[in-house]
Amino acid sequence: MAKAKRIYAFGGGKADGSMELKNLLGGKGAGLAEMSRIGIPVPPGFTITTEVCTEFYRSGGKLPKSLVPEIRAALAQTEKLVGRRLGDPKDPLLVSVRSGARVSMPGMMDTVLNLGLNDRTVEGLAVRSRNPRFAWDSYRRFCAMFGDVVLGMKPEKKEDRDPFEQILAWKKQSLGVKDDSELGVEALREIVAAEKAEIARRGKVLPEDPMAQLLAAVEAVFRSWDNERAVAYRQLNGIPAEWGTAVTVQAMVFGNLGDDSGTGVAFTRDPATGENAFYGEFLVNAQGEDVVAGIRTPQKIAELAAHFPDIARQLEKVRARLERHYRDMQDIEFTIEAGKLYVLQTRSGKRTGIAAVRAAVEMAEAGLIKKDEAVLRVEPGALDHLLRPVFDQHAKEKAVAEGRLLAKGLPAGPGAARGRLVFFADEAAAWKERGEKVILARHETSPEDIRGMAAAEGFLTAFGGMTSHAALVARQMGKVAVVGCGALDFDYNARQMTVAAAGGSRVLKEGDWLSLDGSTGEVIEGALETSPSEVVQVLLERARKPADAPLYRDFAKLLGWADQARRLDVRANADQPDQAAVAVAFGAKGIGLCRTEHMFFGEGKIGPMREMIVAENEAERRAALAKLLPLQRADFAGILKAMAPNPVVVRTLDPPLHEFLPHDAEGMAELARATGKTVDRIRERVAELRESNPMIGHRGCRLGISYPEITEMQARAIFEAACDLAKEGVHVHPEVMIPLVGTRKELDHQLEVVHATAAKVFAENGRKVRYEVGTMIEVPRGALRAGDIAQSAQFFSFGTNDLTQMTYGISRDDVGPVLASYYAKGIYEVDPFVTIDRVGVGQLMELAVERGRATRPDLEIGICGEHGGDPASVVFCHELGLDYVSCSPWRIPIARLAAAQAALRERAARKAAEARPAPRAPAHRNGAVVNGARAAGGARRNSAVAAPAKAPRAGGTKRARPSPRA
Ligand code: ADP
Ligand code: MG
Ligand code: MG
C-alpha cells in the first residue's frame, strides 16, 4: 500500500487539498486550500495532516523522523512561491505555524507567528523592509509567542499577567506611552532583550536556527491539542480526543508594516442578530492576534472604506464570493500588507441562536439555500436562545432612574443575565458548584477561562471587540456577554473593580449583584427583573402580534418547514392544564406523559393522598380515595380539554409512596388529626413504609396490584372527566398507561381493573369514549418480553430514565459522583441520563420495538423519558421508527427541529446510497440500530420506502462525518 500523503501544499491559485479533506487538513487547512483554489488571495503554505498528530501521540510526543525531509520539501515549495528562504540573513521568509482541528475550536490551541527570526535575520528584515521598527516589533512578538507556546512559560501566580505582556506593559509604562504602536526601535530592542532574559531566567532555550524553531513549533502545536483548555473545550462540545489537530505552516503577511497595513476579522452577516450586513472589526498597523486577544479595541468594518477604499471594495467582493461558494455565513480573518489584501482564514461563523434562525430563513428566502437546508442549519438546542427571557423594560427604566446603569459596553452575546460578581474563572466554577449564579468580569478573557465561562451566566470584559474571545465564546455557548466596556478598571488583588461614571466612580466587590444586558451592552447594578422573550410574548402571553415580532416570524417559518420534513410526532410531558397550554402553543400534538402523582402536590390534595397512603385496610383507603376522586377528575378534565382532540397519556400512580409522607413532627400531627390516628401510630406507619431501595421497591404497577382500588379511582377519574367533556362536545382521547411492567400478567391485572371501570363509567353515563390502555417499557425484562406484553398492550412508551437506571444499575439520583470520576478517567464521555446510550439501553429499545411490532404491527410506540428533549436522542428515536417523542413543554421546538433534521439526513443518506453503484454491500449495523427496526417503522407509514440506507449516526451538532479516506 502506498504511504498516505502527510503534507498538502496550497498557494499560487492551486492546492493539493480542498474542503472535502476537512477531517485530514482541519477546518483551517482545508479552508485555505479551498480559497486558494477559488482565487481568493491567501499566502502560500502547507498543512501537515491530523493523521500525523495521531502518529505524534502514538509515538509518545515525537515527530516521525521521516517527516522532516517532507517538511523541508514542502517548505522549499512555499519558499519558491514567495521568493524568499527561511533563515536567509538578507531576506528571510517568516512563517506562521497554526493549529486547526476538523471542527473549529477558536483559540483553544496554539499558533506561533513570525517564525524564522533570530538576531541575524531580524537585521536582514529591517534592511529589506526599510522598516526597522516593524522588524523589531515582529521579533519581540515572536520571542513572546515562542516562549509562551513552545517553551510553555505561563504566569507564576494567577493574579499575574502573562510574563511577556508584563514586560511590554512595563516598557510602555516606563516610557509613558499608551499604545504598542508608539514604541520605537530602541524600546523594541530592549523588550526583546528583556524577553530573552526572562526565557533564560526560567532555564529555557529559544533556538537560533529557524529550522529547529520550525520543528519545535510544529511539535508544540500538536501538543496543544492536549492542553487543558482544549481538553475542557472538547468535553463541553463532545469532540473525540482521537480527531487530533492538523498543523498549517504558512508564509507570513504583515499587518504591522505601517499605516498602509492592518488586520481584521469579519462575518459575512451579523453573528449576534443574523442581519445581512457585513460585520467586523479591524486595526491599522497591527497583527491578527491583536484583534482577537482584545488588547486594543478595534474599529468597525464600516470605517474601513475611509482608510482603505480599495481594500474595502475587494473585501466586499470576497464576502459575496465566499457566501456564494459556501452558501453559509462565513467568519474570516484578513490582513492588509502594504495596501494588499490577504485572507488568512474562513470558516462557518459561530452565531447566536437568534442569528442562526434569522440567517437560515433569510438565506432560504433569498434562494441561496433550500428550505430543507435551512432546517439543517440551525442546531436544535440553539432555539432555546429565542425562548430565553430578556430584562423587563420597566425594571430597567427604574434602575436607570435610580442611577444604577453603571456603564455601556459592546452587546456581544444577547440576552439577560444576572449574577454575583467574580473575577477569576476557576472561582466562577467553584461558586456555581455551590449553587450561586455568577457574572465573570475580567480585563479580557482567554481560552484558559473556558470552564469558568461555562459556569457563568454572563461575561463582562473591559477590552476587546465583538470578535474578541469573550464575544466568540458567548455566541457559541449561548451566554450573555458585554465586552470592551472601557469604563472598567480591575484590581484583581483587591477583588474589586472600579467603574468610571459621569457622576463619580463606583467600586464593585466580589459577590456584588450585577445585571448584564447582552442585547444593548448595558451594565446595571443589582439583580434586575426579567420578562419573556419576543417568541414567548407572541405564543404564550399573546402580548404581541406576529406582525411586529420579526424574530417570532422567522422562528415560526423555520419550524413550519421542519414540520413538513419530520416523521416523528412531538408530544409533551405535562401534568397541569397551564403546562398543557404551553405545550400546545409550542406545537405539541398531545401529551406523552401526564404524571398523576404531580397533581397530588397541588392545593388541598396532599392531605387526602397521605390519608390514602397510611390507610391500614381497604375501607380506610377507599374513604381517602373518595376524597381524591373529584380532585383528580377536575385535573384530568382540565388537561384533556386543553389538549383536545389530541391524545393524552395518563400514567397511573408510579412513585414510591414514602415520597408523599411527612417526615416532620408538624406534618405527622396534622395527618394524625385528619385520620383520627395517634401521632405514634402515624410515626410507626411512616417507618413501616420505609424501603431500602425504593426505586426498585413497592412502586409502579406493583402499587396498583397491591391496592387495585387506587387504579380503579384513577381510571374512574379519567373516564368520568372524559364523559363529562364528551357531553360538552369536546373531542377527548385518553390513553391509560401502566408503569413499571415487567411481565404480561402484571399488565393484564391492571388492564382488567381499567376496562371494568371504563365499562361501569360508560354505563353510568350512557356514552362511550375512545381510549387505549398500554404500558411503559422501562424495566429491562419488559423490553425483553415486549412480544408477549404487546399481546395485551395497545401502546408502548419507553420510560428511558428508569430503563437507563436499571440497565446500567446506576441510581439516577446518585449518579453525580460516579460521573465526576468516570469523566475524568474517560470511562463515560456523555451522561447516559442525558443522551440515550444507543449501544446498550438502545439495544433493549430496538428489541422491544421489533418484538412488540411483530406481535402487533400497529403498536403505537413513543418515548417519555427526559431523553425525549435531547436532540441526539430524538435522532435515535427517529431511526428506531418510533411514532413520537414526548418532552417537557419548553423543549418541544427543539424536538421538532431535531426530528426534522433526523428525517432529512436519513433521506439524504438514502439518496446517496441509491446513487452508489451495485453490488450493494450488506447492510451495516449502525450502533444499536438494526435496519430491520427502522424498516419496520419507516415502511409502516410509507410502503414505497425501500430498505433504508445506513442512517447517519446521531452526534448532536458535532457530526462525525466518515473520513473520506475510509
Ligand atoms: P486561531 O485558530 O486561534 O485563530 P490562527 O492560526 O488563526 O489561530 O492564528 C492566530 C492569528 O494569527 C490570527 O489572527 C491570524 O490571522 C494570524 N495569522 C496566522 N497566520 C498568519 C500569517 N501567515 N500571516 C499573518 N497573520 C497570520
Ligand atoms: Mg484564526
Ligand atoms: Mg419510570
Side-chain angles (χ1 to χ4, degrees), residues 103-108 233-234 236-239 267 271-272 331 347-353 379 381-382 385 388 412-414 450 453-454 459 466 468-481 957-958:
V103 297
S104 99
M105 299 171 48
M108 295 300 134
Y233 185 91
R234 288 207 293 272
L236 289 168
N237 292 281
I239 299 170
F267 288 81
D331 162 4
R347 62 184 172 206
S348 140
K350 302 259 187 247
R351 57 206 89 172
T352 64
E379 193 205 313
H385 192 192
R388 247 189 281 147
I450 192 84
M453 295 174 89
F459 333 131
M466 293 292 277
S468 64
H469 179 260
L472 227 76
V473 173
R475 283 194 287 273
Q476 190 183 1
M477 288 185 175
K479 300 270 178 185
V480 172
T957 53
K958 301 291 167 326

Short mmCIF file of all heavy atoms in Angstrom, two decimals, residues 103-108 233-234 236-239 267 271-272 331 347-353 379 381-382 385 388 412-414 450 453-454 459 466 468-481 957-958:
data_model
loop_
_atom_site.label_atom_id
_atom_site.label_comp_id
_atom_site.label_asym_id
_atom_site.label_seq_id
_atom_site.Cartn_x
_atom_site.Cartn_y
_atom_site.Cartn_z
N VAL A 103 -13.29 20.46 13.48
CA VAL A 103 -14.28 21.48 13.82
C VAL A 103 -13.52 22.60 14.50
O VAL A 103 -12.54 22.35 15.18
CB VAL A 103 -15.40 20.96 14.76
CG1 VAL A 103 -16.20 19.87 14.09
CG2 VAL A 103 -14.84 20.48 16.08
N SER A 104 -13.98 23.83 14.28
CA SER A 104 -13.17 24.91 14.80
C SER A 104 -13.28 24.96 16.31
O SER A 104 -14.33 24.77 16.90
CB SER A 104 -13.59 26.23 14.15
OG SER A 104 -14.44 26.94 15.00
N MET A 105 -12.12 25.16 16.94
CA MET A 105 -12.06 25.28 18.40
C MET A 105 -11.36 26.60 18.68
O MET A 105 -10.20 26.61 19.06
CB MET A 105 -11.27 24.11 18.98
CG MET A 105 -11.87 22.76 18.69
SD MET A 105 -10.83 21.34 19.13
CE MET A 105 -10.30 21.72 20.79
N PRO A 106 -12.08 27.71 18.50
CA PRO A 106 -11.41 29.02 18.45
C PRO A 106 -10.53 29.28 19.67
O PRO A 106 -11.00 29.24 20.80
CB PRO A 106 -12.56 30.01 18.37
CG PRO A 106 -13.81 29.25 18.55
CD PRO A 106 -13.53 27.81 18.43
N GLY A 107 -9.27 29.53 19.39
CA GLY A 107 -8.36 29.93 20.45
C GLY A 107 -7.98 28.84 21.44
O GLY A 107 -7.24 29.10 22.38
N MET A 108 -8.46 27.63 21.23
CA MET A 108 -8.19 26.60 22.22
C MET A 108 -6.80 26.02 22.06
O MET A 108 -6.20 25.52 22.98
CB MET A 108 -9.21 25.47 22.12
CG MET A 108 -10.60 25.89 22.47
SD MET A 108 -10.67 26.53 24.14
CE MET A 108 -11.63 28.00 23.89
N TYR A 233 -12.60 22.14 26.37
CA TYR A 233 -13.48 22.51 25.26
C TYR A 233 -14.05 21.27 24.58
O TYR A 233 -15.23 21.22 24.23
CB TYR A 233 -12.70 23.35 24.26
CG TYR A 233 -13.55 23.90 23.14
CD1 TYR A 233 -14.15 25.14 23.24
CD2 TYR A 233 -13.74 23.16 21.97
CE1 TYR A 233 -14.94 25.63 22.22
CE2 TYR A 233 -14.51 23.65 20.93
CZ TYR A 233 -15.11 24.89 21.06
OH TYR A 233 -15.89 25.37 20.05
N ARG A 234 -13.21 20.28 24.40
CA ARG A 234 -13.67 19.05 23.76
C ARG A 234 -14.76 18.39 24.59
O ARG A 234 -15.75 17.90 24.05
CB ARG A 234 -12.49 18.08 23.59
CG ARG A 234 -11.52 18.48 22.52
CD ARG A 234 -10.80 17.28 21.94
NE ARG A 234 -9.93 16.61 22.86
CZ ARG A 234 -8.64 16.93 23.04
NH1 ARG A 234 -8.12 17.93 22.37
NH2 ARG A 234 -7.90 16.26 23.88
N LEU A 236 -16.80 19.87 26.70
CA LEU A 236 -18.02 20.67 26.63
C LEU A 236 -18.75 20.47 25.32
O LEU A 236 -19.95 20.64 25.23
CB LEU A 236 -17.70 22.16 26.81
CG LEU A 236 -17.27 22.61 28.20
CD1 LEU A 236 -16.71 24.02 28.16
CD2 LEU A 236 -18.45 22.56 29.17
N ASN A 237 -18.00 20.14 24.27
CA ASN A 237 -18.61 20.08 22.94
C ASN A 237 -18.67 18.68 22.35
O ASN A 237 -19.01 18.51 21.18
CB ASN A 237 -17.87 21.02 21.98
CG ASN A 237 -18.09 22.47 22.37
OD1 ASN A 237 -19.11 23.05 22.07
ND2 ASN A 237 -17.14 23.03 23.09
N GLY A 238 -18.31 17.70 23.15
CA GLY A 238 -18.39 16.31 22.68
C GLY A 238 -17.51 16.02 21.48
O GLY A 238 -17.91 15.34 20.55
N ILE A 239 -16.30 16.56 21.49
CA ILE A 239 -15.37 16.29 20.39
C ILE A 239 -14.41 15.19 20.82
O ILE A 239 -13.75 15.31 21.86
CB ILE A 239 -14.57 17.57 20.04
CG1 ILE A 239 -15.53 18.67 19.60
CG2 ILE A 239 -13.51 17.28 18.97
CD1 ILE A 239 -14.88 20.03 19.46
N PHE A 267 -17.47 38.96 9.74
CA PHE A 267 -18.51 37.97 9.49
C PHE A 267 -19.30 38.43 8.28
O PHE A 267 -19.56 39.63 8.15
CB PHE A 267 -19.46 37.87 10.67
CG PHE A 267 -18.86 37.20 11.87
CD1 PHE A 267 -18.04 37.90 12.73
CD2 PHE A 267 -19.11 35.86 12.14
CE1 PHE A 267 -17.48 37.29 13.84
CE2 PHE A 267 -18.55 35.25 13.24
CZ PHE A 267 -17.74 35.95 14.10
N PRO A 271 -23.23 38.24 13.45
CA PRO A 271 -23.32 36.97 14.17
C PRO A 271 -24.20 37.04 15.42
O PRO A 271 -24.53 36.01 15.98
CB PRO A 271 -21.87 36.69 14.57
CG PRO A 271 -21.23 38.03 14.66
CD PRO A 271 -21.92 38.88 13.62
N ALA A 272 -24.57 38.22 15.85
CA ALA A 272 -25.44 38.33 17.03
C ALA A 272 -26.90 38.32 16.63
O ALA A 272 -27.73 37.68 17.27
CB ALA A 272 -25.11 39.58 17.82
N ASP A 331 -16.92 33.37 8.64
CA ASP A 331 -16.17 34.18 9.60
C ASP A 331 -14.75 34.20 9.05
O ASP A 331 -14.15 33.14 8.88
CB ASP A 331 -16.29 33.46 10.95
CG ASP A 331 -15.26 33.89 11.97
OD1 ASP A 331 -14.47 34.80 11.69
OD2 ASP A 331 -15.26 33.29 13.06
N ARG A 347 -14.23 30.24 7.90
CA ARG A 347 -14.93 29.10 8.49
C ARG A 347 -16.38 29.51 8.65
O ARG A 347 -16.71 30.69 8.61
CB ARG A 347 -14.32 28.75 9.84
CG ARG A 347 -14.45 29.86 10.86
CD ARG A 347 -13.76 29.52 12.16
NE ARG A 347 -13.75 30.69 13.02
CZ ARG A 347 -12.85 30.92 13.97
NH1 ARG A 347 -11.88 30.06 14.18
NH2 ARG A 347 -12.91 31.99 14.71
N SER A 348 -17.20 28.50 8.86
CA SER A 348 -18.60 28.81 9.07
C SER A 348 -18.70 29.56 10.39
O SER A 348 -18.14 29.15 11.40
CB SER A 348 -19.35 27.48 9.06
OG SER A 348 -20.32 27.48 10.04
N GLY A 349 -19.35 30.72 10.38
CA GLY A 349 -19.32 31.61 11.55
C GLY A 349 -20.17 31.12 12.71
O GLY A 349 -21.30 30.69 12.51
N LYS A 350 -19.60 31.17 13.89
CA LYS A 350 -20.38 30.87 15.08
C LYS A 350 -21.38 31.98 15.28
O LYS A 350 -21.06 33.16 15.10
CB LYS A 350 -19.48 30.81 16.33
CG LYS A 350 -18.39 29.80 16.24
CD LYS A 350 -18.75 28.55 17.00
CE LYS A 350 -17.58 27.59 17.05
NZ LYS A 350 -17.78 26.36 16.31
N ARG A 351 -22.60 31.61 15.62
CA ARG A 351 -23.62 32.64 15.73
C ARG A 351 -24.54 32.31 16.89
O ARG A 351 -24.62 31.18 17.34
CB ARG A 351 -24.42 32.70 14.42
CG ARG A 351 -25.04 31.35 14.08
CD ARG A 351 -25.29 31.18 12.59
NE ARG A 351 -24.13 30.61 11.93
CZ ARG A 351 -24.11 30.21 10.68
NH1 ARG A 351 -25.15 30.33 9.91
NH2 ARG A 351 -23.02 29.68 10.16
N THR A 352 -25.23 33.33 17.34
CA THR A 352 -26.20 33.11 18.41
C THR A 352 -27.38 32.33 17.82
O THR A 352 -27.56 32.27 16.60
CB THR A 352 -26.74 34.44 18.93
OG1 THR A 352 -27.45 35.07 17.86
CG2 THR A 352 -25.62 35.35 19.40
N GLY A 353 -28.21 31.79 18.69
CA GLY A 353 -29.40 31.08 18.23
C GLY A 353 -30.29 32.00 17.40
O GLY A 353 -30.84 31.61 16.37
N GLU A 379 -28.79 24.52 14.84
CA GLU A 379 -28.62 23.47 15.84
C GLU A 379 -29.85 23.50 16.76
O GLU A 379 -30.21 24.55 17.28
CB GLU A 379 -27.37 23.81 16.63
CG GLU A 379 -26.87 22.69 17.48
CD GLU A 379 -26.07 23.24 18.63
OE1 GLU A 379 -25.22 24.11 18.39
OE2 GLU A 379 -26.34 22.83 19.77
N GLY A 381 -30.63 22.82 19.77
CA GLY A 381 -30.51 23.44 21.10
C GLY A 381 -30.46 24.96 21.03
O GLY A 381 -30.81 25.64 22.00
N ALA A 382 -30.06 25.51 19.89
CA ALA A 382 -29.93 26.96 19.76
C ALA A 382 -31.28 27.67 19.84
O ALA A 382 -31.36 28.85 20.13
CB ALA A 382 -29.23 27.31 18.45
N HIS A 385 -32.35 29.85 22.75
CA HIS A 385 -31.97 31.24 22.82
C HIS A 385 -33.15 32.18 22.53
O HIS A 385 -33.24 33.27 23.07
CB HIS A 385 -30.84 31.48 21.82
CG HIS A 385 -30.17 32.79 21.98
ND1 HIS A 385 -29.31 33.30 21.06
CD2 HIS A 385 -30.22 33.69 22.97
CE1 HIS A 385 -28.88 34.47 21.48
NE2 HIS A 385 -29.40 34.73 22.63
N ARG A 388 -35.51 32.42 25.72
CA ARG A 388 -34.98 32.90 26.99
C ARG A 388 -35.47 34.31 27.32
O ARG A 388 -35.67 35.13 26.42
CB ARG A 388 -33.46 32.91 26.92
CG ARG A 388 -32.88 31.87 27.88
CD ARG A 388 -31.41 32.02 27.97
NE ARG A 388 -30.75 31.43 26.83
CZ ARG A 388 -29.63 31.92 26.31
NH1 ARG A 388 -29.09 33.01 26.79
NH2 ARG A 388 -29.07 31.31 25.30
N ALA A 412 -22.30 41.79 22.95
CA ALA A 412 -21.67 40.68 22.22
C ALA A 412 -22.44 39.38 22.31
O ALA A 412 -22.29 38.51 21.46
CB ALA A 412 -20.25 40.49 22.71
N GLY A 413 -23.22 39.21 23.34
CA GLY A 413 -23.98 37.96 23.47
C GLY A 413 -25.34 38.31 24.03
O GLY A 413 -25.50 38.59 25.21
N PRO A 414 -26.37 38.35 23.17
CA PRO A 414 -27.66 38.88 23.57
C PRO A 414 -28.35 38.05 24.66
O PRO A 414 -28.09 36.87 24.81
CB PRO A 414 -28.48 38.88 22.29
CG PRO A 414 -27.72 38.09 21.30
CD PRO A 414 -26.32 37.95 21.77
N ILE A 450 -12.08 28.83 29.97
CA ILE A 450 -13.25 28.22 29.36
C ILE A 450 -14.21 27.55 30.36
O ILE A 450 -15.42 27.69 30.26
CB ILE A 450 -12.80 27.24 28.23
CG1 ILE A 450 -13.96 26.82 27.38
CG2 ILE A 450 -12.05 26.06 28.75
CD1 ILE A 450 -14.23 27.83 26.32
N MET A 453 -16.13 30.12 32.25
CA MET A 453 -17.09 30.79 31.39
C MET A 453 -18.33 29.93 31.23
O MET A 453 -19.45 30.43 31.19
CB MET A 453 -16.44 31.10 30.03
CG MET A 453 -15.30 32.10 30.17
SD MET A 453 -14.39 32.36 28.64
CE MET A 453 -15.32 33.70 27.91
N ALA A 454 -18.12 28.63 31.16
CA ALA A 454 -19.26 27.73 31.04
C ALA A 454 -20.13 27.80 32.29
O ALA A 454 -21.34 27.61 32.23
CB ALA A 454 -18.79 26.30 30.79
N PHE A 459 -20.62 37.18 30.81
CA PHE A 459 -19.27 37.72 30.96
C PHE A 459 -19.28 39.21 30.70
O PHE A 459 -20.02 39.70 29.88
CB PHE A 459 -18.26 37.13 29.97
CG PHE A 459 -18.56 35.76 29.47
CD1 PHE A 459 -18.52 35.48 28.10
CD2 PHE A 459 -18.85 34.74 30.36
CE1 PHE A 459 -18.79 34.21 27.63
CE2 PHE A 459 -19.12 33.46 29.89
CZ PHE A 459 -19.09 33.20 28.53
N MET A 466 -16.21 42.97 19.26
CA MET A 466 -17.25 41.98 19.02
C MET A 466 -16.69 40.66 18.52
O MET A 466 -17.43 39.70 18.36
CB MET A 466 -18.22 42.54 17.97
CG MET A 466 -19.00 43.71 18.46
SD MET A 466 -20.14 43.23 19.74
CE MET A 466 -21.49 42.64 18.72
N SER A 468 -13.76 39.50 19.92
CA SER A 468 -12.79 39.07 20.93
C SER A 468 -13.17 37.70 21.45
O SER A 468 -14.27 37.19 21.18
CB SER A 468 -12.76 40.08 22.07
OG SER A 468 -14.00 40.09 22.72
N HIS A 469 -12.28 37.13 22.20
CA HIS A 469 -12.51 35.79 22.72
C HIS A 469 -13.82 35.69 23.49
O HIS A 469 -14.62 34.78 23.28
CB HIS A 469 -11.33 35.39 23.61
CG HIS A 469 -11.48 34.03 24.20
ND1 HIS A 469 -11.91 33.82 25.49
CD2 HIS A 469 -11.30 32.80 23.67
CE1 HIS A 469 -11.97 32.53 25.73
NE2 HIS A 469 -11.60 31.88 24.64
N ALA A 470 -14.07 36.65 24.38
CA ALA A 470 -15.28 36.58 25.20
C ALA A 470 -16.53 36.60 24.32
O ALA A 470 -17.49 35.88 24.57
CB ALA A 470 -15.31 37.76 26.18
N ALA A 471 -16.51 37.41 23.27
CA ALA A 471 -17.67 37.53 22.39
C ALA A 471 -17.91 36.23 21.63
O ALA A 471 -19.03 35.75 21.51
CB ALA A 471 -17.44 38.68 21.41
N LEU A 472 -16.81 35.66 21.16
CA LEU A 472 -16.88 34.41 20.40
C LEU A 472 -17.47 33.29 21.23
O LEU A 472 -18.37 32.57 20.81
CB LEU A 472 -15.44 34.04 20.04
CG LEU A 472 -15.15 33.64 18.63
CD1 LEU A 472 -15.12 34.88 17.77
CD2 LEU A 472 -13.79 32.96 18.58
N VAL A 473 -16.93 33.17 22.44
CA VAL A 473 -17.36 32.08 23.32
C VAL A 473 -18.82 32.29 23.72
O VAL A 473 -19.60 31.35 23.79
CB VAL A 473 -16.46 31.99 24.56
CG1 VAL A 473 -17.00 30.99 25.56
CG2 VAL A 473 -15.05 31.61 24.14
N ALA A 474 -19.20 33.55 23.96
CA ALA A 474 -20.58 33.83 24.35
C ALA A 474 -21.54 33.35 23.27
O ALA A 474 -22.54 32.70 23.55
CB ALA A 474 -20.77 35.32 24.58
N ARG A 475 -21.21 33.67 22.04
CA ARG A 475 -22.11 33.27 20.96
C ARG A 475 -22.19 31.76 20.86
O ARG A 475 -23.23 31.19 20.61
CB ARG A 475 -21.65 33.86 19.64
CG ARG A 475 -21.99 35.33 19.54
CD ARG A 475 -21.84 35.81 18.13
NE ARG A 475 -20.46 35.91 17.73
CZ ARG A 475 -19.71 36.99 17.93
NH1 ARG A 475 -20.20 38.03 18.54
NH2 ARG A 475 -18.47 37.00 17.53
N GLN A 476 -21.04 31.15 21.06
CA GLN A 476 -21.04 29.72 20.89
C GLN A 476 -21.75 29.01 22.03
O GLN A 476 -22.48 28.04 21.82
CB GLN A 476 -19.61 29.23 20.80
CG GLN A 476 -19.63 27.80 20.38
CD GLN A 476 -18.25 27.24 20.36
OE1 GLN A 476 -17.29 27.93 20.67
NE2 GLN A 476 -18.15 26.00 19.99
N MET A 477 -21.53 29.46 23.24
CA MET A 477 -22.16 28.79 24.38
C MET A 477 -23.57 29.31 24.62
O MET A 477 -24.26 28.82 25.50
CB MET A 477 -21.36 29.06 25.65
CG MET A 477 -20.04 28.35 25.74
SD MET A 477 -19.36 28.70 27.39
CE MET A 477 -17.90 27.67 27.36
N GLY A 478 -23.97 30.33 23.88
CA GLY A 478 -25.27 30.91 24.14
C GLY A 478 -25.30 31.68 25.44
O GLY A 478 -26.30 31.69 26.15
N LYS A 479 -24.18 32.31 25.79
CA LYS A 479 -24.13 33.09 27.03
C LYS A 479 -24.33 34.57 26.73
O LYS A 479 -24.08 35.04 25.62
CB LYS A 479 -22.76 32.94 27.69
CG LYS A 479 -22.42 31.52 28.06
CD LYS A 479 -22.89 31.18 29.45
CE LYS A 479 -22.56 29.74 29.76
NZ LYS A 479 -23.07 29.30 31.04
N VAL A 480 -24.69 35.28 27.78
CA VAL A 480 -24.81 36.73 27.67
C VAL A 480 -23.42 37.34 27.82
O VAL A 480 -22.64 36.89 28.66
CB VAL A 480 -25.74 37.23 28.79
CG1 VAL A 480 -25.74 38.75 28.85
CG2 VAL A 480 -27.15 36.69 28.57
N ALA A 481 -23.09 38.34 27.01
CA ALA A 481 -21.79 38.98 27.17
C ALA A 481 -21.84 40.45 26.81
O ALA A 481 -22.48 40.85 25.84
CB ALA A 481 -20.73 38.29 26.31
N THR A 957 -24.79 18.01 17.41
CA THR A 957 -24.38 19.03 16.47
C THR A 957 -23.06 18.67 15.83
O THR A 957 -22.82 18.97 14.69
CB THR A 957 -24.20 20.34 17.22
OG1 THR A 957 -23.33 20.06 18.30
CG2 THR A 957 -25.50 20.83 17.72
N LYS A 958 -22.19 18.05 16.63
CA LYS A 958 -20.88 17.73 16.11
C LYS A 958 -20.97 16.37 15.44
O LYS A 958 -20.86 15.35 16.08
CB LYS A 958 -19.85 17.69 17.24
CG LYS A 958 -19.73 18.98 17.99
CD LYS A 958 -19.10 20.02 17.10
CE LYS A 958 -19.20 21.42 17.63
NZ LYS A 958 -20.37 21.78 18.38
#
